[in-house]
Amino acid sequence: MNYRHAFHAGNFADLLKHAVLTALVGALRARPGPLAIVDTHAGAGVYDLRGEAAAKTGEGEAGVGRLMRDAAAPGAFDALKAAVAALNPNGKTRFYPGSPILLTAAQRPGDSYLGCEIRADDNAALRIALKQRRGAAVTSADGWRTAVEQAARGRGRLLVLIDPPFERPDDYAQIVATVAEVRAQRRDAVIAVWLPIKDLATYDSFLGDLEDAAAPAPTTIAEVRLRPLSDPMKMNGCAMALVGAPAGVAAAADEAGQWIARTLGEPGAVAQVTVLGD
Ligand code: SAM
């Protein structure tokens, strides 16, 4: 397991993922009834943008550093900005909140969060980051398996975030299988998947498979391309795929994507939100 999210925390891809995620969880918590969340690939929880890893790439400074300096950034980033501000009371953007912090920020009585992280160092950091959070738990068990087990076990509302490192060739197949199995256990489970965009062939073929696995639930795709996809070796963009998400989330996703393309993109950058099957 080589991937460490510390190198990439707060980059453009995290900004899209986390703006969409905060909009999604906000919309789900606006409805009555407890919400259980499974974060299949949780990471370390909090990232130090002045740490060695983040400083090496500068991705966080180029992403969230830029966002926090933009007072006119759209409202879709408000929840993320508030979480960043809460971690940095002196006003300097040093610490960045990962999905576990964002997803547990406003848990209500009865809500729960389970973060899966198999790296021992990041798992230990995550336990510390979530120590004070009501209803939050951490496991070192495999995230793919845990999502299906949790879906089989409970009965209430379920949100699953799938955010693998894409280091393994079978990550795409694992996503499709997990979406199908979770939805087979829980027909109304909402599932959010983060995806890199490198080349169109891989991306399009995966979206076709995801649409089939999620059917009949609609799948909303919020994507940003920072540049035309001319070099498939680069991460040219990213997307959040939302299965069964409330309709209102699309507007926030579009707002966030447009800001990222406009502010962080190269010539030819674009953002769009589409609903598969429409
Ligand atoms: N979701 C996090 C966020 O938004 O802040 C970032 C997660 S990072 C992209 C992926 C994480 O998944 C890494 O920390 C990696 O160690 C972990 N991981 C990889 N395979 C896993 C597995 N099978 N089960 C649980 N965690 C895994």
Side-chain angles (χ1 to χ4, degrees), residues 1 3 5 14 17-18 39-43 47 98-100 116-119 122 141-144 161 163-165:
M1 196 78 273
Y3 181 90
H5 196 62
D14 262 6
K17 173 176 52 182
H18 293 152
D39 194 350
T40 60
H41 297 75
Y47 300 93
S99 55
C116 311
E117 176 50 57
I118 55 169
R119 267 191 79 110
D122 286 349
D142 173 66
W144 304 112
L161 168 63
D163 182 20

PDB file of all heavy atoms in Angstrom, residues 1 3 5 14 17-18 39-43 47 98-100 116-119 122 141-144 161 163-165, ligand 1:
ATOM      1  N   MET A   1       0.856  -1.195   0.000  1.00  0.00           N
ATOM      2  CA  MET A   1       0.000   0.000   0.000  1.00  0.00           C
ATOM      3  C   MET A   1       0.887   1.238   0.000  1.00  0.00           C
ATOM      4  O   MET A   1       1.423   1.642   1.026  1.00  0.00           O
ATOM      5  CB  MET A   1      -0.848  -0.077   1.284  1.00  0.00           C
ATOM      6  CG  MET A   1      -2.040   0.832   1.316  1.00  0.00           C
ATOM      7  SD  MET A   1      -3.441   0.276   0.373  1.00  0.00           S
ATOM      8  CE  MET A   1      -3.099   0.921  -1.238  1.00  0.00           C
ATOM      9  N   TYR A   3       0.071   4.371  -1.528  1.00  0.00           N
ATOM     10  CA  TYR A   3      -0.602   5.668  -1.635  1.00  0.00           C
ATOM     11  C   TYR A   3      -0.718   6.360  -0.275  1.00  0.00           C
ATOM     12  O   TYR A   3      -1.138   5.758   0.705  1.00  0.00           O
ATOM     13  CB  TYR A   3      -1.999   5.476  -2.223  1.00  0.00           C
ATOM     14  CG  TYR A   3      -2.746   6.785  -2.396  1.00  0.00           C
ATOM     15  CD1 TYR A   3      -2.640   7.502  -3.572  1.00  0.00           C
ATOM     16  CD2 TYR A   3      -3.526   7.311  -1.365  1.00  0.00           C
ATOM     17  CE1 TYR A   3      -3.304   8.704  -3.725  1.00  0.00           C
ATOM     18  CE2 TYR A   3      -4.192   8.514  -1.513  1.00  0.00           C
ATOM     19  CZ  TYR A   3      -4.077   9.198  -2.701  1.00  0.00           C
ATOM     20  OH  TYR A   3      -4.731  10.393  -2.853  1.00  0.00           O
ATOM     21  N   HIS A   5      -2.448   9.946   1.091  1.00  0.00           N
ATOM     22  CA  HIS A   5      -3.238  11.090   0.644  1.00  0.00           C
ATOM     23  C   HIS A   5      -2.591  12.421   1.035  1.00  0.00           C
ATOM     24  O   HIS A   5      -2.904  13.459   0.449  1.00  0.00           O
ATOM     25  CB  HIS A   5      -4.665  10.999   1.182  1.00  0.00           C
ATOM     26  CG  HIS A   5      -5.607  11.900   0.460  1.00  0.00           C
ATOM     27  ND1 HIS A   5      -5.880  11.769  -0.878  1.00  0.00           N
ATOM     28  CD2 HIS A   5      -6.299  13.005   0.870  1.00  0.00           C
ATOM     29  CE1 HIS A   5      -6.707  12.718  -1.258  1.00  0.00           C
ATOM     30  NE2 HIS A   5      -6.974  13.491  -0.216  1.00  0.00           N
ATOM     31  N   ASP A  14      -9.671  17.144  -4.351  1.00  0.00           N
ATOM     32  CA  ASP A  14     -10.293  17.157  -3.018  1.00  0.00           C
ATOM     33  C   ASP A  14     -11.347  18.256  -2.945  1.00  0.00           C
ATOM     34  O   ASP A  14     -12.385  18.082  -2.299  1.00  0.00           O
ATOM     35  CB  ASP A  14      -9.235  17.416  -1.927  1.00  0.00           C
ATOM     36  CG  ASP A  14      -8.755  16.124  -1.268  1.00  0.00           C
ATOM     37  OD1 ASP A  14      -9.144  15.030  -1.728  1.00  0.00           O
ATOM     38  OD2 ASP A  14      -7.986  16.219  -0.291  1.00  0.00           O
ATOM     39  N   LYS A  17     -14.435  16.891  -4.636  1.00  0.00           N
ATOM     40  CA  LYS A  17     -14.978  15.787  -3.818  1.00  0.00           C
ATOM     41  C   LYS A  17     -15.637  16.318  -2.550  1.00  0.00           C
ATOM     42  O   LYS A  17     -16.761  15.942  -2.210  1.00  0.00           O
ATOM     43  CB  LYS A  17     -13.836  14.818  -3.468  1.00  0.00           C
ATOM     44  CG  LYS A  17     -14.197  13.727  -2.497  1.00  0.00           C
ATOM     45  CD  LYS A  17     -13.039  12.746  -2.265  1.00  0.00           C
ATOM     46  CE  LYS A  17     -11.753  13.393  -1.893  1.00  0.00           C
ATOM     47  NZ  LYS A  17     -10.627  12.465  -1.719  1.00  0.00           N
ATOM     48  N   HIS A  18     -14.948  17.215  -1.882  1.00  0.00           N
ATOM     49  CA  HIS A  18     -15.413  17.642  -0.559  1.00  0.00           C
ATOM     50  C   HIS A  18     -16.536  18.671  -0.642  1.00  0.00           C
ATOM     51  O   HIS A  18     -17.406  18.692   0.237  1.00  0.00           O
ATOM     52  CB  HIS A  18     -14.218  18.130   0.271  1.00  0.00           C
ATOM     53  CG  HIS A  18     -13.273  17.004   0.610  1.00  0.00           C
ATOM     54  ND1 HIS A  18     -11.938  17.170   0.830  1.00  0.00           N
ATOM     55  CD2 HIS A  18     -13.504  15.654   0.756  1.00  0.00           C
ATOM     56  CE1 HIS A  18     -11.382  15.992   1.111  1.00  0.00           C
ATOM     57  NE2 HIS A  18     -12.315  15.064   1.053  1.00  0.00           N
ATOM     58  N   ASP A  39     -17.338   5.177   5.131  1.00  0.00           N
ATOM     59  CA  ASP A  39     -16.290   5.812   4.310  1.00  0.00           C
ATOM     60  C   ASP A  39     -15.293   4.682   4.019  1.00  0.00           C
ATOM     61  O   ASP A  39     -14.503   4.307   4.886  1.00  0.00           O
ATOM     62  CB  ASP A  39     -15.670   6.932   5.178  1.00  0.00           C
ATOM     63  CG  ASP A  39     -14.807   7.907   4.407  1.00  0.00           C
ATOM     64  OD1 ASP A  39     -14.513   7.635   3.244  1.00  0.00           O
ATOM     65  OD2 ASP A  39     -14.441   8.935   5.003  1.00  0.00           O
ATOM     66  N   THR A  40     -15.363   4.110   2.807  1.00  0.00           N
ATOM     67  CA  THR A  40     -14.608   2.871   2.552  1.00  0.00           C
ATOM     68  C   THR A  40     -13.097   3.081   2.533  1.00  0.00           C
ATOM     69  O   THR A  40     -12.326   2.156   2.764  1.00  0.00           O
ATOM     70  CB  THR A  40     -15.015   2.234   1.205  1.00  0.00           C
ATOM     71  OG1 THR A  40     -14.742   3.173   0.150  1.00  0.00           O
ATOM     72  CG2 THR A  40     -16.481   1.838   1.184  1.00  0.00           C
ATOM     73  N   HIS A  41     -12.662   4.288   2.178  1.00  0.00           N
ATOM     74  CA  HIS A  41     -11.232   4.609   2.101  1.00  0.00           C
ATOM     75  C   HIS A  41     -11.059   5.962   2.780  1.00  0.00           C
ATOM     76  O   HIS A  41     -11.116   7.011   2.127  1.00  0.00           O
ATOM     77  CB  HIS A  41     -10.782   4.672   0.643  1.00  0.00           C
ATOM     78  CG  HIS A  41     -10.922   3.365  -0.085  1.00  0.00           C
ATOM     79  ND1 HIS A  41     -12.148   2.880  -0.504  1.00  0.00           N
ATOM     80  CD2 HIS A  41     -10.002   2.435  -0.450  1.00  0.00           C
ATOM     81  CE1 HIS A  41     -11.958   1.718  -1.104  1.00  0.00           C
ATOM     82  NE2 HIS A  41     -10.662   1.423  -1.083  1.00  0.00           N
ATOM     83  N   ALA A  42     -10.867   5.947   4.091  1.00  0.00           N
ATOM     84  CA  ALA A  42     -11.054   7.180   4.879  1.00  0.00           C
ATOM     85  C   ALA A  42      -9.834   8.084   4.923  1.00  0.00           C
ATOM     86  O   ALA A  42      -9.966   9.296   5.071  1.00  0.00           O
ATOM     87  CB  ALA A  42     -11.479   6.813   6.301  1.00  0.00           C
ATOM     88  N   GLY A  43      -8.632   7.523   4.835  1.00  0.00           N
ATOM     89  CA  GLY A  43      -7.424   8.350   4.956  1.00  0.00           C
ATOM     90  C   GLY A  43      -7.134   8.724   6.408  1.00  0.00           C
ATOM     91  O   GLY A  43      -7.650   8.104   7.342  1.00  0.00           O
ATOM     92  N   TYR A  47      -4.834  16.737   7.505  1.00  0.00           N
ATOM     93  CA  TYR A  47      -3.555  16.781   6.780  1.00  0.00           C
ATOM     94  C   TYR A  47      -2.852  18.109   7.045  1.00  0.00           C
ATOM     95  O   TYR A  47      -3.494  19.169   7.009  1.00  0.00           O
ATOM     96  CB  TYR A  47      -3.803  16.613   5.272  1.00  0.00           C
ATOM     97  CG  TYR A  47      -4.468  15.295   4.982  1.00  0.00           C
ATOM     98  CD1 TYR A  47      -5.864  15.210   4.894  1.00  0.00           C
ATOM     99  CD2 TYR A  47      -3.726  14.126   4.866  1.00  0.00           C
ATOM    100  CE1 TYR A  47      -6.492  13.992   4.683  1.00  0.00           C
ATOM    101  CE2 TYR A  47      -4.346  12.902   4.659  1.00  0.00           C
ATOM    102  CZ  TYR A  47      -5.729  12.848   4.567  1.00  0.00           C
ATOM    103  OH  TYR A  47      -6.343  11.636   4.377  1.00  0.00           O
ATOM    104  N   GLY A  98     -10.031  15.998   5.936  1.00  0.00           N
ATOM    105  CA  GLY A  98     -10.406  14.947   4.997  1.00  0.00           C
ATOM    106  C   GLY A  98     -11.869  14.570   5.156  1.00  0.00           C
ATOM    107  O   GLY A  98     -12.603  15.130   6.000  1.00  0.00           O
ATOM    108  N   SER A  99     -12.291  13.590   4.371  1.00  0.00           N
ATOM    109  CA  SER A  99     -13.708  13.194   4.386  1.00  0.00           C
ATOM    110  C   SER A  99     -14.216  12.808   5.783  1.00  0.00           C
ATOM    111  O   SER A  99     -15.371  13.139   6.119  1.00  0.00           O
ATOM    112  CB  SER A  99     -13.954  12.059   3.379  1.00  0.00           C
ATOM    113  OG  SER A  99     -13.092  10.962   3.608  1.00  0.00           O
ATOM    114  N   PRO A 100     -13.405  12.153   6.658  1.00  0.00           N
ATOM    115  CA  PRO A 100     -13.960  11.785   7.978  1.00  0.00           C
ATOM    116  C   PRO A 100     -14.354  13.007   8.799  1.00  0.00           C
ATOM    117  O   PRO A 100     -15.376  12.986   9.499  1.00  0.00           O
ATOM    118  CB  PRO A 100     -12.796  11.033   8.647  1.00  0.00           C
ATOM    119  CG  PRO A 100     -11.940  10.548   7.508  1.00  0.00           C
ATOM    120  CD  PRO A 100     -12.041  11.601   6.462  1.00  0.00           C
ATOM    121  N   CYS A 116     -13.019   3.432   7.219  1.00  0.00           N
ATOM    122  CA  CYS A 116     -12.162   2.264   7.000  1.00  0.00           C
ATOM    123  C   CYS A 116     -10.807   2.745   6.478  1.00  0.00           C
ATOM    124  O   CYS A 116     -10.755   3.464   5.470  1.00  0.00           O
ATOM    125  CB  CYS A 116     -12.760   1.335   5.944  1.00  0.00           C
ATOM    126  SG  CYS A 116     -14.486   0.945   6.219  1.00  0.00           S
ATOM    127  N   GLU A 117      -9.736   2.365   7.143  1.00  0.00           N
ATOM    128  CA  GLU A 117      -8.400   2.769   6.695  1.00  0.00           C
ATOM    129  C   GLU A 117      -7.431   1.653   7.018  1.00  0.00           C
ATOM    130  O   GLU A 117      -7.235   1.324   8.180  1.00  0.00           O
ATOM    131  CB  GLU A 117      -7.982   4.085   7.362  1.00  0.00           C
ATOM    132  CG  GLU A 117      -6.580   4.544   7.029  1.00  0.00           C
ATOM    133  CD  GLU A 117      -6.275   4.553   5.530  1.00  0.00           C
ATOM    134  OE1 GLU A 117      -6.981   5.205   4.757  1.00  0.00           O
ATOM    135  OE2 GLU A 117      -5.303   3.862   5.129  1.00  0.00           O
ATOM    136  N   ILE A 118      -6.820   1.082   5.954  1.00  0.00           N
ATOM    137  CA  ILE A 118      -5.983  -0.101   6.191  1.00  0.00           C
ATOM    138  C   ILE A 118      -4.516   0.236   6.460  1.00  0.00           C
ATOM    139  O   ILE A 118      -3.780  -0.598   6.953  1.00  0.00           O
ATOM    140  CB  ILE A 118      -6.054  -1.129   5.036  1.00  0.00           C
ATOM    141  CG1 ILE A 118      -5.718  -0.500   3.697  1.00  0.00           C
ATOM    142  CG2 ILE A 118      -7.398  -1.811   4.992  1.00  0.00           C
ATOM    143  CD1 ILE A 118      -5.533  -1.543   2.598  1.00  0.00           C
ATOM    144  N   ARG A 119      -4.072   1.428   6.160  1.00  0.00           N
ATOM    145  CA  ARG A 119      -2.684   1.802   6.503  1.00  0.00           C
ATOM    146  C   ARG A 119      -2.589   2.060   8.000  1.00  0.00           C
ATOM    147  O   ARG A 119      -3.334   2.885   8.535  1.00  0.00           O
ATOM    148  CB  ARG A 119      -2.307   3.103   5.787  1.00  0.00           C
ATOM    149  CG  ARG A 119      -1.622   2.941   4.447  1.00  0.00           C
ATOM    150  CD  ARG A 119      -1.084   4.292   4.009  1.00  0.00           C
ATOM    151  NE  ARG A 119       0.139   4.594   4.696  1.00  0.00           N
ATOM    152  CZ  ARG A 119       1.332   4.625   4.123  1.00  0.00           C
ATOM    153  NH1 ARG A 119       1.427   4.390   2.822  1.00  0.00           N
ATOM    154  NH2 ARG A 119       2.406   4.903   4.815  1.00  0.00           N
ATOM    155  N   ASP A 122      -1.945   5.915   8.967  1.00  0.00           N
ATOM    156  CA  ASP A 122      -3.101   6.784   8.718  1.00  0.00           C
ATOM    157  C   ASP A 122      -4.291   6.382   9.585  1.00  0.00           C
ATOM    158  O   ASP A 122      -5.075   7.232  10.029  1.00  0.00           O
ATOM    159  CB  ASP A 122      -3.475   6.769   7.229  1.00  0.00           C
ATOM    160  CG  ASP A 122      -2.482   7.565   6.384  1.00  0.00           C
ATOM    161  OD1 ASP A 122      -1.637   8.282   6.972  1.00  0.00           O
ATOM    162  OD2 ASP A 122      -2.528   7.478   5.145  1.00  0.00           O
ATOM    163  N   ALA A 141     -10.372  -2.685   8.960  1.00  0.00           N
ATOM    164  CA  ALA A 141     -10.861  -3.721   8.032  1.00  0.00           C
ATOM    165  C   ALA A 141     -10.965  -3.159   6.608  1.00  0.00           C
ATOM    166  O   ALA A 141     -11.081  -1.949   6.402  1.00  0.00           O
ATOM    167  CB  ALA A 141     -12.228  -4.219   8.492  1.00  0.00           C
ATOM    168  N   ASP A 142     -10.938  -4.048   5.649  1.00  0.00           N
ATOM    169  CA  ASP A 142     -11.039  -3.689   4.236  1.00  0.00           C
ATOM    170  C   ASP A 142     -12.338  -2.921   3.936  1.00  0.00           C
ATOM    171  O   ASP A 142     -13.433  -3.356   4.306  1.00  0.00           O
ATOM    172  CB  ASP A 142     -11.011  -4.999   3.434  1.00  0.00           C
ATOM    173  CG  ASP A 142     -11.281  -4.771   1.975  1.00  0.00           C
ATOM    174  OD1 ASP A 142     -10.461  -4.132   1.315  1.00  0.00           O
ATOM    175  OD2 ASP A 142     -12.346  -5.213   1.494  1.00  0.00           O
ATOM    176  N   GLY A 143     -12.199  -1.773   3.297  1.00  0.00           N
ATOM    177  CA  GLY A 143     -13.349  -0.908   3.051  1.00  0.00           C
ATOM    178  C   GLY A 143     -14.394  -1.506   2.124  1.00  0.00           C
ATOM    179  O   GLY A 143     -15.598  -1.310   2.308  1.00  0.00           O
ATOM    180  N   TRP A 144     -13.932  -2.243   1.118  1.00  0.00           N
ATOM    181  CA  TRP A 144     -14.895  -2.828   0.160  1.00  0.00           C
ATOM    182  C   TRP A 144     -15.827  -3.795   0.897  1.00  0.00           C
ATOM    183  O   TRP A 144     -17.041  -3.748   0.741  1.00  0.00           O
ATOM    184  CB  TRP A 144     -14.152  -3.607  -0.937  1.00  0.00           C
ATOM    185  CG  TRP A 144     -13.132  -2.831  -1.710  1.00  0.00           C
ATOM    186  CD1 TRP A 144     -11.782  -3.020  -1.676  1.00  0.00           C
ATOM    187  CD2 TRP A 144     -13.363  -1.769  -2.645  1.00  0.00           C
ATOM    188  NE1 TRP A 144     -11.162  -2.137  -2.529  1.00  0.00           N
ATOM    189  CE2 TRP A 144     -12.103  -1.366  -3.142  1.00  0.00           C
ATOM    190  CE3 TRP A 144     -14.502  -1.118  -3.117  1.00  0.00           C
ATOM    191  CZ2 TRP A 144     -11.952  -0.343  -4.082  1.00  0.00           C
ATOM    192  CZ3 TRP A 144     -14.364  -0.109  -4.049  1.00  0.00           C
ATOM    193  CH2 TRP A 144     -13.104   0.277  -4.524  1.00  0.00           C
ATOM    194  N   LEU A 161     -19.321   6.402   0.966  1.00  0.00           N
ATOM    195  CA  LEU A 161     -18.335   7.113   0.140  1.00  0.00           C
ATOM    196  C   LEU A 161     -17.263   6.111  -0.274  1.00  0.00           C
ATOM    197  O   LEU A 161     -16.685   5.428   0.580  1.00  0.00           O
ATOM    198  CB  LEU A 161     -17.688   8.268   0.928  1.00  0.00           C
ATOM    199  CG  LEU A 161     -16.452   8.885   0.247  1.00  0.00           C
ATOM    200  CD1 LEU A 161     -16.806   9.523  -1.104  1.00  0.00           C
ATOM    201  CD2 LEU A 161     -15.774   9.913   1.159  1.00  0.00           C
ATOM    202  N   ASP A 163     -13.709   6.016  -2.173  1.00  0.00           N
ATOM    203  CA  ASP A 163     -12.651   6.935  -2.626  1.00  0.00           C
ATOM    204  C   ASP A 163     -11.300   6.216  -2.604  1.00  0.00           C
ATOM    205  O   ASP A 163     -10.407   6.564  -1.828  1.00  0.00           O
ATOM    206  CB  ASP A 163     -12.649   8.153  -1.671  1.00  0.00           C
ATOM    207  CG  ASP A 163     -11.623   9.201  -2.067  1.00  0.00           C
ATOM    208  OD1 ASP A 163     -11.187   9.218  -3.230  1.00  0.00           O
ATOM    209  OD2 ASP A 163     -11.254  10.004  -1.178  1.00  0.00           O
ATOM    210  N   PRO A 164     -11.136   5.191  -3.473  1.00  0.00           N
ATOM    211  CA  PRO A 164      -9.910   4.386  -3.430  1.00  0.00           C
ATOM    212  C   PRO A 164      -8.726   5.129  -4.060  1.00  0.00           C
ATOM    213  O   PRO A 164      -8.913   6.120  -4.761  1.00  0.00           O
ATOM    214  CB  PRO A 164     -10.278   3.158  -4.273  1.00  0.00           C
ATOM    215  CG  PRO A 164     -11.309   3.649  -5.231  1.00  0.00           C
ATOM    216  CD  PRO A 164     -12.062   4.751  -4.524  1.00  0.00           C
ATOM    217  N   PRO A 165      -7.501   4.609  -3.839  1.00  0.00           N
ATOM    218  CA  PRO A 165      -6.326   5.283  -4.406  1.00  0.00           C
ATOM    219  C   PRO A 165      -6.143   5.065  -5.914  1.00  0.00           C
ATOM    220  O   PRO A 165      -5.305   5.707  -6.520  1.00  0.00           O
ATOM    221  CB  PRO A 165      -5.157   4.639  -3.661  1.00  0.00           C
ATOM    222  CG  PRO A 165      -5.719   3.856  -2.545  1.00  0.00           C
ATOM    223  CD  PRO A 165      -7.145   3.552  -2.885  1.00  0.00           C
TER     224      PRO A 165
HETATM  225  N1  SAM B   1     -11.454   9.729   1.519  1.00  0.00           N
HETATM  226  C1  SAM B   1     -10.283  10.468   1.990  1.00  0.00           C
HETATM  227  C2  SAM B   1     -10.608  11.953   1.989  1.00  0.00           C
HETATM  228  O1  SAM B   1     -11.396  12.399   1.133  1.00  0.00           O
HETATM  229  O2  SAM B   1     -10.091  12.663   2.839  1.00  0.00           O
HETATM  230  C3  SAM B   1      -9.056  10.158   1.178  1.00  0.00           C
HETATM  231  C4  SAM B   1      -8.778   8.704   0.996  1.00  0.00           C
HETATM  232  S1  SAM B   1      -7.384   8.297   0.077  1.00  0.00           S
HETATM  233  C5  SAM B   1      -7.780   8.764  -1.552  1.00  0.00           C
HETATM  234  C6  SAM B   1      -7.485   6.544  -0.012  1.00  0.00           C
HETATM  235  C7  SAM B   1      -7.146   5.833   1.301  1.00  0.00           C
HETATM  236  O3  SAM B   1      -7.614   4.476   1.197  1.00  0.00           O
HETATM  237  C8  SAM B   1      -5.660   5.720   1.607  1.00  0.00           C
HETATM  238  O4  SAM B   1      -5.407   6.301   2.860  1.00  0.00           O
HETATM  239  C9  SAM B   1      -5.380   4.198   1.624  1.00  0.00           C
HETATM  240  O5  SAM B   1      -4.440   3.816   2.609  1.00  0.00           O
HETATM  241  C10 SAM B   1      -6.740   3.640   1.938  1.00  0.00           C
HETATM  242  N2  SAM B   1      -7.032   2.274   1.448  1.00  0.00           N
HETATM  243  C11 SAM B   1      -6.558   1.658   0.346  1.00  0.00           C
HETATM  244  N3  SAM B   1      -7.145   0.461   0.171  1.00  0.00           N
HETATM  245  C12 SAM B   1      -8.027   0.303   1.192  1.00  0.00           C
HETATM  246  C13 SAM B   1      -8.959  -0.713   1.542  1.00  0.00           C
HETATM  247  N4  SAM B   1      -9.088  -1.820   0.790  1.00  0.00           N
HETATM  248  N5  SAM B   1      -9.735  -0.529   2.640  1.00  0.00           N
HETATM  249  C14 SAM B   1      -9.590   0.600   3.399  1.00  0.00           C
HETATM  250  N6  SAM B   1      -8.716   1.593   3.120  1.00  0.00           N
HETATM  251  C15 SAM B   1      -7.954   1.459   2.023  1.00  0.00           C
END
